[in-house]
Amino acid sequence: MSSRTSDVLVVGGGIIGLVTAWRAAQRGLATAVVDPEPGGGAAQVAAGMLAAVTELHYGEQTLLGLNLASAHRYPDFAAELTELTGLDLGYRRCGTLAVALDADDRAHLRELHALQRQSGLESEWLSGRECRRLEPMLAPGVRGGLRVDGDHQIDPRRLTRALLAACERAGVVFHRAWARSLQVVRDRAAGVATTDGEELAADQVVLAAGSLSGRLEGVPEALLPPVRPVKGQVLRLTVPPRHAPFLSRTVRAVVRGSQVYLVPRESGELVIGATSEELGWDTTVTAGGVYELLRDAHELVPGITELPLTETRAGLRPGSPDNAPLLGPTELPGLLLATGHYRNGVLLTPVTGDALAHALTTGELPEVARPFTPRRFLESVEQPA
C-alpha cells in the first residue's frame, strides 16, 4: 500500500534526523520521518558535551570550523526550541575543565593548549592548585589543566524530546517502521519500502540513520555511506542534595591513555563516559567497561564512590573514515546524507539542520558544510595511485 508523496522523507529519527525534518518543514516542505522509535539512537546515551575546543584533535582543523559554527549557533538554537515547545533543554554555559593527573598527561595537555592557541581558540592554562580551587572535589594529584569557558553542555534526552515536539508542531508525519530499501525510479531516489510492506514516496530522501546508514538496501554500492558503529558505554550517577554542589562544570581527563569525562546536570545527574570500542553491533554493558569508567573517574574525583549508580548504558556512535560527518547531496539524484557524526552528533545538531534544509531547498550545501560532502570519499577512491 502506497502512502501520499512527501517532499522530503528522512530515514532515521535520532536527533540528526529530527533536526533535519524540523528545519525542512519550517522551509515549507511536506516532510515525513521513517523510524520505529523516533527519538531513539545514540543521543539517548550521549553525555551532551558541546566541546569544540577541548575535543580538538590533530588533523581535524577542518572539522573544527564546522564544530565552532555549530557551537556559535547553540544559544539561539536552544532558545528557539524552548520558546517553541516550552521544554527545558538542560543547556548550560558552565564551561569545561580538562585536567592532567601525571607528567605525561600534563605534557599532552600542554600540546593541546598550543594547538588550541594556534587555531585561535580561547583556553587558559591552570596549575593543579588553581584547578582544585575551581573544583574542590578534584583529586589532590591533579597536575594542571585547561579551563575552557566556551565549551558548554546540553541534555541530549531533553533535546530529543524538544525536537520531537517541534517536528509535530511543524506537521512532520511519522511512520513508525524500519526502512527496508531505497526505491529508485529512473535513476533517482524516489522513496523507501518499509519492513511492514508500505511504500513511502518522496521527491527527496535524506539518509540519517546513524550507524545503520550503510545498511539500507537499494542504495548503489558505491554510494553507501562508509559509516561504522563505535561502541560507547556511559554511566549515570545521582548527586544527593547533601553532596551538592559536587562539580560546577564538565571535567575531563586522559587516565592511563583512556578518555574519561564527568558531566554534571542541574538536575543532580552526573554522567560519566565514555569508552570507545570497535566491536561491531554489540551494545552489551560489560562489567569491565563499568569498572574502568568508575576506576578512572574515581582517580579524578574520589568522591564519586559515595554516589548512587542509577543507570548503565551502551550505544553506537556512527564513525566515518575521517571522523567527520557526511552531509548533503550524493551522486544519486534525490538522495542526501546526514550521518557519520561520530562523537560530535549533539554538538553538530544545529549546523546540520541548517545545512540540510539549505541543500534540500537549493540543491547545494552552504559554504560551511561543503568540505563534508559525501562525494569526498568517491573523489579519494578515484585518485590515481
Side-chain angles (χ1 to χ4, degrees), residues 275-342:
T275 64
S276 185
E277 305 163 75
E278 301 274 358
L279 292 172
W281 300 98
D282 173 54
T283 54
T284 307
V285 175
T286 63
V290 173
Y291 166 73
E292 289 168 12
L293 285 173
L294 287 174
R295 178 196 64 195
D296 293 349
H298 173 260
E299 240 175 89
L300 192 58
V301 181
I304 65 148
T305 52
E306 300 174 28
L307 304 179
L309 176 62
T310 52
E311 184 181 321
T312 60
R313 287 282 292 270
L316 300 173
R317 309 176 189 91
S320 74
D322 59 4
N323 297 334
L326 291 80
L327 303 176
T330 67
E331 292 296 298
L332 178 65
L335 178 65
L336 297 86
L337 300 186
T339 188
H341 291 72
Y342 190 33

Side-chain angles (χ1 to χ4, degrees), residues 9 34 70 91 96 215 245 250 253 289 305 322:
L9 179 64
V34 56
S70 204
Y91 177 60
T96 295
R215 297 187 125 194
T250 297
T305 52
D322 59 4

Side-chain angles (χ1 to χ4, degrees), residues 242-298:
R242 69 180 182 276
H243 286 285
F246 192 80
L247 292 173
S248 64
R249 74 201 71 223
T250 297
V251 173
R252 56 191 301 157
V254 176
V255 181
R256 282 182 292 272
S258 297
Q259 294 273 353
V260 65
Y261 53 73
L262 296 88
V263 184
R265 304 258 191 258
E266 286 183 328
S267 63
E269 182 179 76
L270 181 66
V271 183
I272 300 177
T275 64
S276 185
E277 305 163 75
E278 301 274 358
L279 292 172
W281 300 98
D282 173 54
T283 54
T284 307
V285 175
T286 63
V290 173
Y291 166 73
E292 289 168 12
L293 285 173
L294 287 174
R295 178 196 64 195
D296 293 349
H298 173 260

Side-chain angles (χ1 to χ4, degrees), residues 96-355:
T96 295
L97 183 65
V99 301
L101 287 168
D102 61 29
D104 288 343
D105 296 339
R106 193 172 184 275
H108 170 76
L109 265 191
R110 282 289 195 186
E111 290 177 7
L112 176 61
H113 189 219
L115 180 61
Q116 290 167 345
R117 297 292 292 273
Q118 290 165 17
S119 304
L121 304 175
E122 290 187 18
S123 63
E124 179 186 2
W125 180 263
L126 302 180
S127 66
R129 182 175 298 167
E130 289 170 325
C131 289
R132 288 188 294 276
R133 193 175 300 137
L134 272 185
E135 297 293 346
M137 297 299 289
L138 284 173
V142 167
R143 302 285 295 272
L146 288 176
R147 174 177 177 172
V148 181
D149 290 339
D151 277 359
H152 302 154
Q153 62 153 287
I154 199 164
D155 185 334
R157 294 177 177 180
R158 293 187 178 194
L159 171 61
T160 301
R161 285 195 292 271
L163 285 170
L164 269 171
C167 283
E168 288 165 356
R169 281 174 173 262
V172 174
V173 175
F174 288 94
H175 300 279
R176 286 173 166 79
W178 288 108
R180 179 175 53 80
S181 63
L182 180 71
Q183 304 288 81
V184 179
V185 178
R186 290 189 289 276
D187 296 323
R188 182 181 177 87
V192 302
T194 69
T195 50
D196 60 8
E198 198 171 14
E199 292 185 358
L200 306 176
D203 296 333
Q204 298 185 86
V205 176
V206 180
L207 182 48
S211 55
L212 290 165
S213 296
R215 297 187 125 194
L216 183 63
E217 295 176 15
V219 178
E221 188 174 351
L223 302 185
L224 276 172
V227 174
R228 71 190 190 282
V230 182
K231 179 180 176 181
Q233 299 189 53
V234 171
L235 314 177
R236 283 177 166 81
L237 290 72
T238 299
V239 179
R242 69 180 182 276
H243 286 285
F246 192 80
L247 292 173
S248 64
R249 74 201 71 223
T250 297
V251 173
R252 56 191 301 157
V254 176
V255 181
R256 282 182 292 272
S258 297
Q259 294 273 353
V260 65
Y261 53 73
L262 296 88
V263 184
R265 304 258 191 258
E266 286 183 328
S267 63
E269 182 179 76
L270 181 66
V271 183
I272 300 177
T275 64
S276 185
E277 305 163 75
E278 301 274 358
L279 292 172
W281 300 98
D282 173 54
T283 54
T284 307
V285 175
T286 63
V290 173
Y291 166 73
E292 289 168 12
L293 285 173
L294 287 174
R295 178 196 64 195
D296 293 349
H298 173 260
E299 240 175 89
L300 192 58
V301 181
I304 65 148
T305 52
E306 300 174 28
L307 304 179
L309 176 62
T310 52
E311 184 181 321
T312 60
R313 287 282 292 270
L316 300 173
R317 309 176 189 91
S320 74
D322 59 4
N323 297 334
L326 291 80
L327 303 176
T330 67
E331 292 296 298
L332 178 65
L335 178 65
L336 297 86
L337 300 186
T339 188
H341 291 72
Y342 190 33
R343 60 178 182 267
N344 293 307
V346 178
L347 170 60
L348 291 174
T349 297
V351 77
T352 297
D354 292 344

